[in-house]
């Protein structure tokens, strides 16, 4: 028996199972339809406790974006989600925040910007594919143009001359938004350990985007998670105080995070 074949089969079987799981979840989403309901637009929010909006000057943009309307989403797993929220909150203050502060103190800002640009350029296949799936041909062309410019003139994406010199901005498309454009509703709200807030639809979208990301194909798996962790910590180092401000000003931090995430995703989809 060929040893290479025998070792490769379980790997391929594992990928096939994950793909089947994603397809099954998509079928369930289609069957359930749109689980979220929208309040009438421009309806005033009843109270700060209901909408979780912030008053801190550093996060005024949340008010500008979300105060006009609010989307209600099904949260049947709220008791479990609140437990997950407590776990994530503890991990944030005990692990993520100290690591983020240490990383920011040790790594100079110009280097962190280069790392951020590199990973943003590396994620081009995700944005490009979803632009095409949403029928946004012009944005797809823009993403391809940005990739060529930044990979060459920007030295493998470490710089962003496409934006800084040529004024070509990046899009922000993902599979969760694509599924929404296709008419699939949010499903239910979920709080995933380590990953944070999402919905059933966006969670499926994250799994799909994972297969489009070059990072997914880094071997061995230890190196893959090291690369992903570096990207996450580097990105977090630019927004160290956002979460603290949300927690400090919210009457119910869980509700505040849920509403902020849902309204933020709604705005992304509408754009």
């Amino acid at each position: 028996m060929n040893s290479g074949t025998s070792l490769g089969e379980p790997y391929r079987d594992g990928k096939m199972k994950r793909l089947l799981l994603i397809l099954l979840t998509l079928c369930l989403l289609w069957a359930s339809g749109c689980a979220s309901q929208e309040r009438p637009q421009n309806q005033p929010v009843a109270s700060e406790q209901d909408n979780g909006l912030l008053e801190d000057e550093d996060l005024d943009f949340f008010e500008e974006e979300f105060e006009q309307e609010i989307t209600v989403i099904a949260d049947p797993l709220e008791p479990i989600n609140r437990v997950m929220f407590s776990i994530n909150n503890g991990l944030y203050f005990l692990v993520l925040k100290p690591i983020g502060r240490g990383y920011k103190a040790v790594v100079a800002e110009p280097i962190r910007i280069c790392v951020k640009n590199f990973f943003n350029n590396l994620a081009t296949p995700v944005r490009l594919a979803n632009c095409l799936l949403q029928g946004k041909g012009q944005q797809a062309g823009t993403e391809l143009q940005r990739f060529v410019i930044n990979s060459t003139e920007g030295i493998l994406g470490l710089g962003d001359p496409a934006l800084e010199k040529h004024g070509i901005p990046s899009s922000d498309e993902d599979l969760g938004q694509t599924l929404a454009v296709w008419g699939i509703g949010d499903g239910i709200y979920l709080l995933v350990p380590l990953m944070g807030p999402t919905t059933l639809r966006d969670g499926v979208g994250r799994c799909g985007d994972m297969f489009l990301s070059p990072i997914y194909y880094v071997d061995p798996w230890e190196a893959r998670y090291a690369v992903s962790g570096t990207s996450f910590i580097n990105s977090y180092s630019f927004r160290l105080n956002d979460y603290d401000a949300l927690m400090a000003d919210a009457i119910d931090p869980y509700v505040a995070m849920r509403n902020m995430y849902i309204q933020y995703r709604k705005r992304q989809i509408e754009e």
Side-chain angles (χ1 to χ4, degrees):
M1 180 181 294
N2 189 308
S3 59
T5 303
S6 62
L7 289 174
E9 288 179 354
Y11 180 73
R12 291 194 296 270
D13 291 343
K15 279 195 171 182
M16 183 61 67
K17 289 179 181 178
R18 286 193 290 270
L19 287 172
L20 291 175
L21 179 61
I22 291 174
L23 291 174
L24 177 60
T25 309
L26 283 172
C27 292
L28 292 174
L29 279 170
W30 278 111
S32 62
C34 183
S36 61
Q37 297 178 348
E38 238 180 69
R39 293 183 187 175
Q41 294 190 2
N42 301 324
Q43 176 180 339
V45 179
S47 67
E48 183 181 1
Q49 183 174 5
D50 290 336
N51 60 47
L53 295 178
L54 308 179
E55 295 179 358
D56 193 285
E57 293 181 358
D58 294 335
L59 297 177
D60 282 345
F61 66 93
F62 285 132
E63 291 185 351
E64 296 174 2
E65 290 187 354
F66 307 142
E67 66 184 356
Q68 296 299 321
E69 58 185 77
I70 183 168
T71 299
V72 180
I73 185 171
D75 191 5
L77 302 179
E78 181 172 345
I80 299 176
N81 284 336
R82 284 186 178 272
V83 173
M84 294 299 102
F85 175 82
S86 298
I87 293 174
N88 284 344
N89 190 60
L91 290 174
Y92 168 80
F93 286 105
L94 293 175
V95 180
L96 180 58
K97 187 175 181 179
I99 292 177
R101 283 183 170 179
Y103 179 86
K104 183 176 181 180
V106 172
V107 183
E109 184 174 358
I111 297 178
R112 290 189 290 117
I113 292 175
C114 287
V115 174
K116 180 181 178 181
N117 290 337
F118 174 80
F119 282 110
N120 185 62
N121 192 58
L122 200 63
T124 297
V126 176
R127 297 189 299 271
L128 176 61
N130 283 290
C131 284
L132 292 173
L133 290 172
Q134 294 179 38
K136 298 179 178 180
Q138 183 175 356
Q139 289 189 19
T142 297
E143 283 297 328
L144 186 58
Q145 186 179 10
R146 278 181 50 83
F147 181 76
V148 172
I149 294 174
N150 288 341
S151 298
T152 54
E153 189 177 347
I155 310 176
L156 299 179
L158 294 177
D160 191 3
L163 177 63
E164 297 170 0
K165 294 180 61 177
H166 305 282
I168 306 174
S170 175
S171 63
D172 190 19
E173 305 297 337
D174 55 55
L175 187 54
Q177 295 178 61
T178 298
L179 295 175
V181 170
W182 290 354
I184 298 179
D186 289 303
I188 61 175
Y189 179 72
L190 299 169
L191 244 171
V192 184
L194 302 178
M195 293 178 61
T198 186
T199 63
L200 182 56
R201 180 194 64 210
D202 289 348
V204 172
R206 289 183 184 182
C207 293
D209 287 336
M210 176 181 65
F211 290 103
L212 293 172
S213 173
I215 297 177
Y216 177 73
Y217 300 97
V218 174
D219 282 325
W221 66 267
E222 295 92 340
R224 179 165 62 250
Y225 284 113
V227 172
S228 298
T230 301
S231 175
F232 179 80
I233 293 298
N234 188 78
S235 177
Y236 168 70
S237 69
F238 290 97
R239 44 186 174 82
L240 284 174
N241 298 321
D242 289 2
Y243 184 80
D244 291 10
L246 175 65
M247 295 299 100
D249 291 352
I251 296 177
D252 186 337
Y254 172 81
V255 173
M257 174 174 284
R258 182 182 63 194
N259 288 337
M260 184 191 71
Y261 175 79
I262 297 303
Q263 306 315 312
Y264 170 70
R265 289 295 289 171
K266 184 177 186 296
R267 175 60 62 89
Q268 280 188 313
I269 293 166
E270 289 175 347
E271 292 178 349

